Amino acid sequence: MFVTFLKFAGNRAAAPDYLAAHNDWLAQGFDDGAFLCAGTLMPAAGGAILARGESRAEHDARIATDPFVVQGVVVAETHEIDPKKTAPALDFLKVSA
């Protein structure tokens, strides 16, 4: 499982220009079953994605295609988590991808 932080970078002002493409990219990640959750880093510091089901290389390659990453709107920082304990509703996260 991966947590990727998308922290605003030098080209943050261009975010509105690429927002639709970024949202399409997010939708594709959900459609592909790779993304479990996405949201805003508060207060307005960027975003975060919880993902699973892909290898680290596949996940990194997917993140690299985010229009916000490509255009320097955000910088991505990914952390891999090996869940050991979860609430019952999240037990599926403990299964290896």
Side-chain angles (χ1 to χ4, degrees):
M1 181 173 72
F2 305 102
V3 176
T4 298
F5 297 99
L6 303 171
K7 297 180 181 178
F8 282 124
N11 199 22
R12 177 182 182 164
D17 298 335
Y18 301 102
L19 184 58
H22 171 73
N23 285 334
D24 289 345
W25 173 84
L26 281 170
Q28 187 63 57
F30 281 102
D31 288 347
D32 292 345
F35 294 167
L36 299 173
C37 177
T40 302
L41 288 176
M42 301 303 290
I49 298 168
L50 180 62
R52 71 176 297 272
E54 296 180 310
S55 70
R56 177 63 187 253
E58 291 166 329
H59 179 75
D60 288 346
R62 181 184 296 276
I63 295 297
T65 66
D66 176 359
F68 274 10
V69 171
V70 172
Q71 298 301 325
V73 173
V74 299
V75 172
E77 176 184 308
T78 297
H79 298 270
E80 189 167 358
I81 298 171
D82 182 11
K84 300 295 186 202
K85 200 167 184 86
T86 61
L90 299 177
D91 279 347
F92 72 96
L93 293 174
K94 294 189 284 188
V95 178
S96 294

